[in-house]
Structure formats: C-alpha cells, structure tokens
C-alpha cells in the first residue's frame, strides 16, 4: 500500500483527520463557542445521570469526557455530541444494581464492564455492517420505552425529593416505599426540591435559552455556600476527586458477562437508534451525509473508552447536539473543545460539585423525565393505529412491572413479531380493467372498471417467502374456487414480488400443477428477475413456458381476448385429401 492509499484508508477510518485536513481557521471561533456552550450545559446533567447508575458524581464527568473523545475521532457526523443520557443511564442502572449486592465498588466495576460490552456489541455490528439493525426498534416500541423509562426515572428520584431512603428499582416498589415513608419527609429538602423544580419549569417556559440545569446547580451551590444547607439536614454530593483516572480494564467475572449481555444489546440498540436518527437529522439540515456503520464504530469507541475510564454506557445527546448546532458549530472540533472544557473542570473546579445538594440532581432528573414523556405521540398512535398503540402501552406496562431491560427486550420482540405478522399476511388485490384505457388497477368503482369473465388477475404487494407462501397460495386457491364464471386463465401480476425463496417457489409450483390439472392456464405478468430465477431453480419456468410470460397484465389480457375469440370461432371444414 503506497502513502496516498494509506492516507485515504486512514482518513476513511478516522473522519476527524479528513476534517482537520480541510479545516478553516474561520470555523474555529464558532466551534469553540459551540463546544464550550455544550460543555457548560452538560456538566450538571452528566453528574445527575451518574446518580441513575448509582455511581459517584465524578463518574458522569469521566463518561462525558471519554464519550466526547471516542466519538469525535470516528464519527462521520460533524454535529452530534456523545455522552451520558438519561434513558441509557436508567437502563444501565436497572441492570447493574441487582448484580451489585449494594456494594459501591462493585457497581463501579459492573458499570465499566457494561459500557465495554455495549461498545463491543456496537463494533461487532459495524464489522458485520449491521447499520440497519436500528430499524428493528419501531416507533411504537420507542414511545413505549420512553414513557416507561420516564415514569421509572421519576420514581427513582422521589426519594431525593422527599429526603427519604427508598429501596429497589421497580416502579411500583419505589412508589409504595415513598408513600409508606411520607411521614418521614425531610421538610427542608422537600421545600428546596419543589423550588428547584419550579425554577426549571419556569426557565423552560419563559426563558428557554437559559440552560435550566446549569442555573439550578448554580442557585443550589450558592444557597449552600450562603445558608449552609447541610446544617439543615439537606444531603450534599460531598467531596469529589480532581483529575482523571488511569485507563484500566475492570476486573470482572465471566458470570457478569452473561448477566449483563441482554442489557448491553438493549443499550446498543437504543444508542444507535437515537444516534443515527440524530446524526441524519443534523446532517440533512447542514448539507452533508453520514455513514451508519461509521456511527456504529463511533458509538462503540465512545462506550469502550468510557468503560476503560471508570465511566458507564453513553449515547448521543439531543440537547447538547442542538446547542452545538444553534451556536453555529461546524465540525467535530466542537466536541474536542467540549472535552477540553471538561478536562479543565476536572482538574480545577470539582470542589464546586461538593457543595451541590443531591435534591438538585433529583429535580433535574424529574424535569428531564417529564420532558421525555411521549404523551402526544401516544395519542397520535391511538388515532392512527390501535395495534401500534397497544404495542407502545404494552412496552410501558412491561417496564413498569418487570423492569427496564425486560421491557425493552419485550419491545424488540414485539417489533419482530409485528414484522413477521405483516409479512405473513401481506396485502393483495384482484385487478380489473379500466374502461378508459384498458389498464388494470385495484380499488376502482364499478362504474370505472370491469371484470373479464373467466380471467382472474391477482397482484401480491409483498415478496413471496416461506412466512407467507401458504397463506398466499390458499388465498389464490379460494379466489379461483369462488370466481363466477369459472376461471380459465389465472394471471399473476408479479411486479411487486421482488423476492421469492425456495419454499415459496415450491408451493407455487404445487399450486400451478394443481390448477393446470383442472384445466386452468396460469400466466405470469411483469415478472422481476428474482422471481423468474426462483421459478427456474424449481424447474417451473420451463414447465410454464416462455409463451406464458407477459411483459404486462394488459398484454396478458389481450392474449386472453384472442384465446376467447379463437375458442368461440367455429372449426373450419375439413379439406379432402389428395391421392
């Protein structure tokens, strides 16, 4: 490999190098402002998200720093900011806590292992070019997940709001514990929490440009400094170490891998689904393209680096990405500036976090959870499709009853099942001839089109595969049996059958022979290449014959008209033989 080829290969693997090669100094000011703005806003949020995973506040900063560096190096998106996320953090926490036995040191190890596992899953998906896997997470499942996760998130923070200790991670258990312990409410904590929630809601409504989480933390820290809130029994975050930890591979048990694997797969699905949607949205807005498999690599690298840096699983952040875009950010350099800002904070400003009341983090997370609720989307599903509405509600109920990880796994299964059901019962139509131009259509009124006696034109709007072959053949058989007058020609409009497997081809061959034995001619119109190739594999293309294939339904109908005319014509008189 020569130097030029190696350079292209390196730039393909590290899009940041290509960005830096073509970088303009005129962009630096915008990227700097965008990166620092996102950094300032992200600090209180990522500290709060660490609480979801039951980790020390500092680990949120570690995870944010690792995600920013890992994602910026490999991402094809110039705007997406990676880091801790509320939904991902809640999912991670729900998987880790049952395995930790309440041991804080073990929680740190399990969080790092889960982050590494999620990164490996993402990298394997990239290696296998499975960027399309995110499509398996349908919109109803995502709505159901977000609603369930939001309600669980609110429940997990009620203890902080009331200043009481809660047990477990399940929604109903948490709510019941809070109700039982309401008489033990720590009044100063609750009063401060209500004020901070009110401040967040007010800022979002009347001053949306002001970063609410940052303002709340600033007010809470100032109140602690002035009024010594700790003396009133209000719990504080406490001492936070400065600097960054060494990159280390966490010591783990093989049993942990098996226990955390379902959560790692679920996190990978969610992270990539959100990440690629976010990347495509901002790429389209700013006039460039993103590569799905490259985004898998970027998210995988971000998670692996977060795991090595004593962090926890990360994803793409919509709020921070929007800040970068609105501030005029142009490239991944904005994310590097964010990482630099986090480094400065870790080395010089962590003492401020020690003064932060924990109830402030609870207030931030509760308001975040309220913002995650997809009530309007759920109402829209109810109006459009009751089945998809039921799937969304079912996922939400599963999360509330069984937990976040079982809920998202159920959602993925429901998505796959709904796809299989749709494929196994595809739409079809019997076509009729339009009076105006002789073309064949479906969904026409009686005064627009006519059926041709003895001719049945059947169109399937789906690939013909093992999952639907029996249903489709039975459907054709029923249509033939119920037709009046009896069918002489069956024309299969195959233009939408863009794929057919061997099982379906064999079933079609069986039906074809059955109909031919009954004196019914089977014709094929507008057959795509894959359809014809599968018929060839099972020997049916020769049996049908070239004369039974037509380029269009209209041509097949014309041939049928000629056939009927020939059938109705009286036989010619026999010609005497000449001796």
């Amino acid at each position: 490999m020569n130097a030029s080829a190696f350079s292209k290969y390196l730039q393909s693997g590290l899009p940041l190098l290509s960005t830096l090669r073509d970088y303009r100094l005129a962009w630096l000011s915008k990227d700097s402002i965008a990166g620092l703005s996102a950094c300032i806003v992200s600090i209180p949020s990522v500290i709060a998200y660490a609480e979801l995973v039951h980790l020390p506040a500092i680990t949120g900063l570690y995870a944010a720093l690792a995600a920013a560096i890992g994602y910026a190096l490999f991402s094809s998106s110039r705007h997406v900011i990676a880091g801790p996320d509320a939904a991902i953090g809640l999912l991670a926490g729900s998987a880790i806590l049952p395995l930790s036995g309440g041991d804080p040191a073990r929680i740190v190890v399990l969080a790092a292992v889960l982050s590494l596992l999620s990164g490996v899953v993402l990298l394997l998906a990239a290696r296998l070019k499975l960027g399309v896997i995110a499509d398996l997470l349908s919109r109803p499942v995502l709505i159901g997940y977000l609603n369930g996760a939001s309600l669980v998130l609110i429940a997990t923070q009620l203890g902080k709001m009331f200043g009481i200790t809660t047990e477990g991670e399940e929604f109903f258990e948490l709510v019941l514990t809070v109700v039982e312990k309401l008489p033990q409410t720590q009044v100063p904590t609750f009063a401060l929490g209500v004020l901070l929630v009110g401040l967040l809601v007010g800022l979002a409504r009347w001053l949306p440009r002001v970063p609410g989480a940052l303002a709340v933390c600033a007010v809470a820290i100032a109140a602690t400094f002035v009024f010594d809130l700790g003396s009133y029994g209000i719990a504080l975050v406490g001492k936070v170490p400065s600097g960054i930890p060494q990159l280390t591979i966490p010591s783990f048990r093989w049993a942990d891998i098996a226990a955390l694997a379902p959560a790692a797969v679920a996190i990978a699905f969610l992270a990539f689904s959100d990440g690629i949607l976010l990347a495509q949205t901002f790429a389209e807005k700013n006039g460039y393209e993103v590569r799905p498999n490259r985004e898998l690599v970027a998210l995988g690298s971000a998670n692996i680096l977060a795991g090595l840096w004593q962090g926890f699983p990360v994803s793409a952040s919509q709020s921070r990405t929007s800040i970068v875009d609105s501030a005029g950010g142009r490239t991944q350099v904005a994310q590097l500036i964010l990482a630099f800002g986090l480094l400065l904070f870790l080395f010089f400003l962590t003492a401020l976090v020690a003064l932060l009341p924990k109830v402030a983090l609870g207030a931030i997370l509760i308001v975040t959870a309220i913002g995650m609720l997809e009530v309007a989307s759920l109402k829209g599903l109810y109006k459009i499709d009751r089945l998809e509405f039921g799937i969304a509600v079912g996922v939400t109920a599963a999360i509330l009853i069984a937990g976040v990880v079982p809920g998202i796994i159920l959602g993925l299964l429901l998505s796959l099942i709904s796809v299989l059901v749709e494929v196994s019962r595809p739409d079809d139509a019997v076509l009729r001839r339009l009076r105006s131009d002789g073309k064949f259509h479906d969904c026409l009124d009686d005064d627009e089109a006519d059926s041709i006696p003895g001719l049945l034109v059947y169109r399937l709007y789906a690939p013909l595969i093992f999952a639907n072959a029996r249903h489709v053949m039975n459907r054709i058989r029923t249509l033939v049996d119920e037709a009046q007058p009896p069918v002489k020609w069956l024309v299969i409009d195959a233009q939408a059958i863009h794929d057919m497997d061997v099982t379906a081809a064999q079933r079609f061959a069986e039906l074809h022979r059955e109909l031919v034995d009954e004196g019914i001619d089977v014709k094929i119109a507008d057959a795509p290449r894959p359809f014809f190739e599968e018929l060839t594999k099972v020997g049916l293309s020769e049996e049908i014959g070239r004369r039974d294939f037509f380029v269009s339904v209209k041509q097949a109908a014309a041939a049928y008209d000629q056939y009927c005319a020939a059938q109705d014509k009286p036989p010619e008189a026999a010609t005497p033989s000449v001796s």
Side-chain angles (χ1 to χ4, degrees):
M1 184 182 291
N2 57 38
S4 175
F6 178 75
S7 176
K8 289 182 179 179
Y9 175 79
L10 195 61
Q11 289 177 20
S12 175
L14 289 171
L16 181 63
L17 294 180
S18 179
T19 298
L20 294 177
R21 183 196 63 186
D22 302 325
Y23 197 77
R24 302 177 187 176
L25 285 177
W27 297 345
L28 185 58
S29 61
K30 295 256 184 186
D31 278 342
S32 298
I33 293 172
L36 289 174
S37 299
C39 175
I40 292 169
V41 170
S42 70
I43 288 171
S45 298
V46 301
I47 290 173
Y49 299 153
E51 291 278 322
L52 288 177
V53 199
H54 309 280
L55 290 169
I58 193 68
T59 60
L61 296 170
Y62 295 158
L65 176 62
I69 295 172
Y71 191 82
L73 286 174
F74 297 99
S75 173
S76 60
S77 171
R78 302 173 195 166
H79 291 83
V80 171
I81 299 296
D85 173 78
I88 297 293
L90 181 64
L91 201 163
S94 67
I96 290 167
L97 192 63
L99 302 175
S100 67
D103 181 0
R106 181 131 169 82
I107 292 176
V108 172
V109 171
L110 290 172
V113 170
L114 181 57
S115 189
L116 289 172
L117 276 178
S118 302
V120 168
V121 171
L122 287 162
L123 291 182
L124 282 175
R127 179 66 178 172
L128 297 173
K129 300 188 182 302
L130 297 178
V132 296
I133 61 173
D135 294 336
L136 295 177
L137 197 65
S138 65
R139 180 63 180 163
V141 172
L142 192 57
I143 290 172
Y145 168 73
L146 288 174
N147 285 334
S150 299
L151 293 173
V152 173
L153 178 51
I154 292 171
T156 61
Q157 301 309 304
L158 291 177
K160 292 188 183 72
M161 288 293 295
F162 289 95
I164 56 181
T165 303
T166 56
E167 298 175 357
E169 285 292 301
E170 306 300 332
F171 176 79
F172 294 106
E173 182 182 8
L174 286 167
V175 172
L176 183 61
T177 302
V178 170
V179 171
E180 290 176 347
K181 294 187 175 182
L182 272 180
Q184 303 173 25
T185 298
Q186 216 275 332
V187 177
T189 298
F190 180 70
L192 178 61
V194 171
L195 287 173
L196 294 178
V197 168
L199 178 60
L200 282 166
V201 173
L203 288 173
R205 182 171 181 179
W206 291 296
L207 295 172
R209 291 185 174 274
V210 176
L214 181 64
V216 160
C217 287
V219 168
I221 289 172
T224 301
F225 184 78
V226 174
F227 300 109
D228 188 17
L229 296 182
S231 64
Y232 293 93
I234 296 175
L236 305 178
V237 170
K239 186 177 181 180
V240 176
S242 60
I244 57 176
Q246 293 183 343
L247 291 172
T248 56
I249 298 177
S251 57
F252 59 88
R253 309 167 188 168
W254 288 109
D256 295 338
I257 303 296
L260 292 173
V265 173
I267 286 171
F269 263 104
L270 282 174
F272 183 60
S273 297
D274 284 347
I276 190 59
L277 180 62
L278 202 60
Q280 288 173 339
T281 299
F282 283 91
E284 183 177 344
K285 178 182 178 182
N286 291 280
Y288 63 92
E289 293 184 0
V290 292
R291 292 176 285 166
N293 286 305
R294 182 53 44 190
E295 294 306 297
L296 278 170
V297 172
L299 286 168
S301 302
N303 274 282
I304 287 176
L305 189 55
L308 296 175
W309 233 334
Q310 297 182 24
F312 51 89
V314 296
S315 179
S317 169
Q318 182 173 351
S319 60
R320 278 159 261 163
T321 302
S322 299
I323 288 170
V324 166
D325 181 66
S326 62
R330 299 293 299 270
T331 69
Q332 299 97 316
V333 171
Q335 191 150 212
L336 295 179
I337 298 293
L338 181 151
F340 179 71
L342 289 173
L343 276 173
L344 291 178
F345 188 89
L346 281 166
F347 277 104
F348 304 110
L349 298 173
T350 53
L352 292 174
V353 180
L355 300 175
L356 184 62
K358 288 187 175 183
V359 68
L361 301 178
I364 291 170
L365 290 173
I366 286 174
V367 174
T368 300
I370 293 172
M372 286 167 52
L373 285 169
E374 294 273 359
V375 178
S377 298
L378 195 62
K379 290 180 179 178
L381 281 182
Y382 183 80
K383 294 178 180 178
I384 297 170
D385 192 318
R386 299 292 173 86
L387 176 61
E388 294 196 339
F389 170 81
I391 291 174
V393 172
V395 172
T396 299
I399 288 173
L400 297 182
I401 296 169
V404 178
V405 176
I408 193 62
I409 291 175
L410 174 66
L412 292 173
L413 290 175
L414 286 175
S415 290
L416 290 173
I417 290 170
S418 64
V419 169
L420 289 175
V421 169
E422 185 173 349
V423 169
S424 66
R425 296 294 183 270
D427 290 333
D428 60 5
V430 173
L431 307 185
R432 294 187 297 163
R433 183 157 57 186
L434 195 65
R435 293 173 184 171
S436 59
D437 58 10
K439 293 181 179 180
F440 282 76
H441 296 270
D442 61 350
C443 302
L444 295 172
D445 295 331
D446 290 338
D447 59 350
E448 295 178 335
D450 296 312
S451 296
I452 301 176
L455 178 68
L456 176 65
V457 182
Y458 176 81
R459 176 184 289 170
L460 179 67
Y461 293 104
L464 191 57
I465 59 175
F466 71 95
N468 61 26
R470 184 188 299 275
H471 169 77
V472 172
M473 297 310 124
N474 289 339
R475 170 79 170 142
I476 294 173
R477 179 76 260 184
T478 300
L479 290 171
V480 169
D481 291 342
E482 294 178 351
Q484 290 298 329
V487 173
K488 297 178 181 178
W489 276 29
L490 168 66
V491 177
I492 305 293
D493 181 357
Q495 62 177 299
I497 308 177
H498 56 81
D499 188 24
M500 182 166 67
D501 61 19
V502 174
T503 302
Q506 289 175 341
R507 289 194 181 278
F508 182 73
E510 293 169 4
L511 177 66
H512 174 267
R513 295 179 186 120
E514 184 181 316
L515 293 175
V516 169
D517 289 342
E518 296 175 12
I520 299 172
D521 286 335
V522 179
K523 312 293 181 181
I524 310 294
D526 204 3
R529 181 174 54 82
F531 182 87
F532 185 80
E533 288 176 349
E534 287 300 328
L535 292 182
T536 303
K537 289 178 183 178
V538 296
L540 192 58
S541 60
E542 296 178 3
E543 189 174 327
I544 294 178
R546 287 282 182 180
R547 61 185 176 79
D548 294 323
F549 285 87
F550 296 90
V551 296
S552 67
V553 173
K554 186 176 182 180
Q555 188 184 86
Y560 177 73
D561 289 339
Q562 293 176 3
Y563 164 81
C564 290
Q567 293 292 106
D568 295 338
K569 186 177 180 181
E572 296 181 2
T575 304
S577 61
V578 179
S579 57

